[in-house]
């Protein structure tokens, strides 16, 4: 990585001084370039597949960043070190500078490597557009032209400098010098997406890129939204070969973006997703986007914005499923106890009163497992958790308050590992149509120590959840659980 960084620093500087060095120090220059070429041929690049956004190289190859820069420098050398995008105001004063006092720069020695030295991570050069994507505007520089490198580096530098102030950042990006010579909006969209999809993590928090796109669309409502829509369509068409983590970021960005523009989108253009197998990337993408949109709106709004043909991908009504709420279920074990519990909780019963109501619930598990028969009673857990979550179903706050108030009851019922697992199963049965509620309740249960991280992991990888294993809310819960466990260990 250290060698890569020094090679990158040298090659990137040639854009500014390559011509002068070749004219005045051609022998030394050829020697250094020959050394770099030898190094480039023997480099190990086993990391590249892990950093690529797409597994396929069509229509645009996803090149390793140093390979791409090396190809750009070689092309620049063939073009006699000419480039057209770096401002050089000093050329106007060449006659004065030639007669000015010359300074000899002291030799530069790179600092030695230390244990705490940090070097830039390797990356892959992200490509979405070429000159064919904007046939009417200025021609986009080719992927191996140094002009492309200069423009992208400058745009990355603007984002790096102003990312905390999204409006200022958007203004600086749209005011890029020489914007009439290049398809600037295409470059801006490509650079922002390249950072958003950068693996393993983006340079900045993901929501920054969403807010930056929103400001850019407000600044240039007549041009940038069209480019962004074109880019979204390209990303959608390439979902089959897209990295799963990048699909997740794409879903988060797109749903948040739609929520800021009244959820307007030409959904009919994606009607092919309805006819595909629901486990394919495109139907899954549309389903997850609509589900995330529902988090930022409400169910009926999402039903209204998509065509009726999308019903198979539209989220289910996020209502609570209470098995003891229908009188036709009187024969269900625990029905009468659930009614008593419901009245007791409404009357603000104490923990002792709750235990008194639950004590006569038969333990169907006792004969199978005498050791845990008294601490793990699945019917007790089911009756209590079902009733409690049903009564607190009005909002997140009601549910949090209920879990907090009856925390000791839940901890007693779920004392064993199997008990914790059963609490999660029952909670899922109640809220299976509301993934966001499941995610926040699991988080709250871990924080209140009703369940532990190991129980959540065992539940996620259990056969009961196998049908939801590729749903993003499951991985949202798992990642959140791992982060909590890491904090606990550290």
């Amino acid at each position: 990585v250290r060698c890569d960084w020094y090679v990158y620093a040298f090659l990137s500087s040639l854009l500014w001084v390559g011509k002068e060095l070749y004219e005045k120090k051609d022998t030394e220059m050829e020697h250094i370039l020959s050394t770099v070429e030898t190094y480039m041929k023997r480099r190990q690049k086993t990391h590249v597949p892990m950093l690529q956004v797409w597994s396929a190289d069509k229509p645009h190859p996803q090149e390793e960043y140093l390979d791409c820069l090396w190809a750009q420098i070689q092309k620049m050398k063939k073009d006699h070190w000419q480039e057209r995008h770096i401002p050089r105001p000093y050329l106007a004063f060449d006659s004065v500078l030639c007669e000015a006092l010359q300074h000899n720069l002291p030799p530069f020695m790179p600092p030695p490597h230390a244990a705490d030295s940090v070097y830039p991570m390797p990356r892959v050069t992200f490509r979405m557009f070429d000159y064919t994507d904007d046939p009417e505007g200025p021609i986009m520089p080719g992927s191996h032209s140094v002009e492309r490198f200069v423009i992208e580096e400058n745009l990355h530098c603007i984002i790096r400098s102003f990312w905390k102030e999204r409006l200022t950042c958007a203004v600086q990006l749209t005011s890029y010098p020489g914007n009439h010579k290049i398809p600037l909006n295409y470059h801006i969209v490509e650079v922002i997406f390249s950072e958003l999809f950068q693996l393993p993590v983006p340079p900045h928090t993901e929501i920054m890129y969403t807010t930056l796109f929103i400001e850019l669309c407000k600044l240039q409502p007549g041009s940038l939204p069209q480019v962004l829509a074109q880019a979204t369509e390209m990303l959608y068409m390439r979902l089959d070969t897209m990295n799963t983590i990048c699909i997740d970021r794409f879903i988060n960005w797109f749903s948040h973006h739609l929520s800021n523009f009244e959820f307007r989108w030409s959904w009919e253009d994606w009607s092919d997703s309805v006819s595909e197998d629901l486990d394919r990337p495109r139907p899954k993408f549309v389903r997850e986007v609509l589900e995330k949109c529902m988090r930022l709106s409400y169910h009926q709004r999402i039903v209204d914005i998509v065509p009726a043909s999308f019903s198979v991908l539209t989220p289910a009504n996020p209502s609570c499923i209470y098995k003891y709420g229908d009188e036709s279920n009187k024969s269900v074990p625990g029905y009468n106890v659930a009614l008593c519990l419901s009245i007791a909780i409404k009357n603000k019963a104490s923990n002792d009163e709750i235990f008194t109501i639950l004590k006569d619930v038969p333990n169907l598990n006792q004969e199978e497992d005498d050791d845990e028969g008294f601490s793990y009673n699945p019917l007790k857990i089911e009756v209590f958790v079902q009733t409690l979550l049903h009564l607190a179903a009005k909002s997140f706050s009601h549910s949090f308050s209920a879990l907090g108030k009856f925390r000791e009851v839940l901890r007693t019922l779920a004392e064993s590992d199997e008990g914790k697992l059963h609490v999660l199963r029952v909670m899922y049965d109640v809220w299976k149509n509301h993934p966001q509620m499941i995610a926040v309740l699991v988080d709250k249960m871990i924080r209140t120590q009703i369940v532990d991280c190991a129980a959540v992991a065992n539940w996620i990888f259990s056969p009961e959840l196998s049908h939801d294993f590729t749903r993003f809310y499951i991985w949202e819960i798992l990642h959140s659980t791992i982060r909590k466990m890491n904090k606990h260990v550290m």
Side-chain angles (χ1 to χ4, degrees), residues 45-55 62 64 124 199 243:
K45 292 176 286 187
T46 54
H47 59 277
V48 172
M50 294 185 289
L51 302 179
Q52 288 179 324
V53 177
W54 291 285
S55 57
Q62 305 294 299
E64 205 267 347
V124 168
L199 295 172
N243 188 298

Side-chain angles (χ1 to χ4, degrees), residues 48-211:
V48 172
M50 294 185 289
L51 302 179
Q52 288 179 324
V53 177
W54 291 285
S55 57
D57 277 342
K58 292 182 179 180
H60 307 294
Q62 305 294 299
E63 295 179 283
E64 205 267 347
Y65 81 110
L66 209 52
D67 285 345
C68 184
L69 178 57
W70 176 238
Q72 290 165 335
I73 292 299
Q74 287 181 311
K75 185 176 185 303
M76 188 182 186
K77 180 182 175 184
K78 290 180 181 178
D79 295 339
H80 306 291
W81 304 96
Q82 298 295 324
E83 56 75 35
R84 301 184 300 277
H85 282 276
I86 297 179
R88 301 179 187 272
Y90 57 87
L91 292 178
F93 306 95
D94 190 49
S95 58
V96 178
L97 293 173
C98 285
E99 299 176 0
L101 179 65
Q102 302 292 312
H103 297 273
N104 292 320
L105 295 175
F108 170 74
M109 289 296 295
H113 174 72
D116 58 347
S117 297
V118 178
Y119 303 100
M121 289 280 288
R123 62 184 188 276
V124 168
T125 303
F126 182 84
R127 290 281 182 263
M128 278 184 70
F129 301 118
D130 57 28
Y131 68 93
T132 62
D133 295 311
D134 184 26
E136 298 178 358
I139 297 176
M140 174 174 275
S143 60
H144 285 164
S145 69
V146 291
E147 287 80 11
R148 188 76 168 257
F149 176 84
V150 171
I151 295 165
E152 290 171 351
E153 280 296 295
N154 288 338
L155 294 178
H156 281 299
C157 185
I158 290 172
I159 295 173
R160 193 161 53 245
S161 301
F162 300 103
W163 70 275
K164 291 183 180 180
E165 297 290 340
R166 60 182 185 273
L167 180 57
T168 305
C169 187
V171 170
Q172 292 291 330
L173 288 171
T174 54
S175 304
Y176 182 75
N179 52 19
H180 60 283
K181 300 178 183 177
I182 57 173
L184 181 61
N185 285 338
Y186 283 86
H187 284 291
I188 290 174
V189 169
E190 185 175 72
V191 164
I192 295 176
F193 273 129
S194 74
E195 290 200 6
L196 176 60
F197 295 142
Q198 185 172 315
L199 295 172
V201 292
H204 311 294
T205 181
E206 289 179 37
I207 200 170
M208 187 280 292
Y209 301 104
T210 307
T211 57

Side-chain angles (χ1 to χ4, degrees), residues 108-354:
F108 170 74
M109 289 296 295
H113 174 72
D116 58 347
S117 297
V118 178
Y119 303 100
M121 289 280 288
R123 62 184 188 276
V124 168
T125 303
F126 182 84
R127 290 281 182 263
M128 278 184 70
F129 301 118
D130 57 28
Y131 68 93
T132 62
D133 295 311
D134 184 26
E136 298 178 358
I139 297 176
M140 174 174 275
S143 60
H144 285 164
S145 69
V146 291
E147 287 80 11
R148 188 76 168 257
F149 176 84
V150 171
I151 295 165
E152 290 171 351
E153 280 296 295
N154 288 338
L155 294 178
H156 281 299
C157 185
I158 290 172
I159 295 173
R160 193 161 53 245
S161 301
F162 300 103
W163 70 275
K164 291 183 180 180
E165 297 290 340
R166 60 182 185 273
L167 180 57
T168 305
C169 187
V171 170
Q172 292 291 330
L173 288 171
T174 54
S175 304
Y176 182 75
N179 52 19
H180 60 283
K181 300 178 183 177
I182 57 173
L184 181 61
N185 285 338
Y186 283 86
H187 284 291
I188 290 174
V189 169
E190 185 175 72
V191 164
I192 295 176
F193 273 129
S194 74
E195 290 200 6
L196 176 60
F197 295 142
Q198 185 172 315
L199 295 172
V201 292
H204 311 294
T205 181
E206 289 179 37
I207 200 170
M208 187 280 292
Y209 301 104
T210 307
T211 57
L212 182 55
F213 270 133
I214 292 168
E215 294 299 336
L216 287 166
C217 289
K218 291 178 181 177
L219 283 175
Q220 297 197 339
S223 56
L224 200 134
Q226 290 84 341
V227 178
L228 194 53
Q230 184 179 347
T232 304
E233 186 66 30
M234 288 179 172
L235 292 171
Y236 172 78
M237 296 305 295
R238 297 186 68 184
L239 281 171
D240 287 342
T241 58
M242 198 172 190
N243 188 298
T244 306
I245 298 174
C246 296
I247 295 177
D248 193 16
R249 295 179 196 170
F250 183 24
I251 290 167
N252 290 334
W253 163 76
F254 189 53
S255 56
H256 189 179
H257 186 82
L258 289 178
S259 71
N260 282 270
F261 294 96
E262 301 178 353
F263 297 99
R264 288 176 300 194
W265 186 253
S266 52
W267 296 101
E268 292 83 359
D269 294 345
W270 290 356
S271 58
D272 59 327
S273 61
V274 179
S275 57
E276 289 188 32
D277 181 353
L278 295 182
D279 287 330
R280 297 288 298 161
R282 290 175 193 170
K284 276 189 172 293
F285 170 78
V286 174
R287 180 182 181 182
E288 295 288 345
V289 165
L290 293 176
E291 193 169 282
K292 284 290 176 72
C293 286
M294 188 174 70
R295 292 190 184 190
L296 302 167
S297 182
Y298 53 94
H299 180 256
Q300 190 57 46
R301 178 74 184 278
I302 304 307
V303 172
D304 293 340
I305 64 171
V306 296
S309 58
F310 278 69
S311 59
V312 67
L313 301 176
T314 306
N317 187 15
S319 56
C320 170
I321 302 172
Y322 182 47
K323 68 185 292 185
Y324 303 109
D326 193 340
E327 289 189 5
S328 61
N329 290 337
K330 283 184 177 180
S331 59
V332 173
Y335 180 84
N336 293 326
V337 178
L339 290 181
C340 295
L341 271 177
S342 181
I343 295 170
I345 292 172
K346 287 178 181 177
N347 292 330
K348 301 181 179 179
S350 65
N351 289 350
D352 291 337
E353 290 171 319
I354 298 296

Side-chain angles (χ1 to χ4, degrees), residues 21-38:
L21 288 176
Y22 211 78
E23 289 174 350
K24 300 173 182 177
K25 300 283 184 179
D26 58 329
T27 305
E28 293 89 337
M29 183 75 161
E30 283 292 351
H31 175 69
I32 296 177
L33 289 176
S34 176
T35 304
V36 169
E37 185 174 18
T38 303

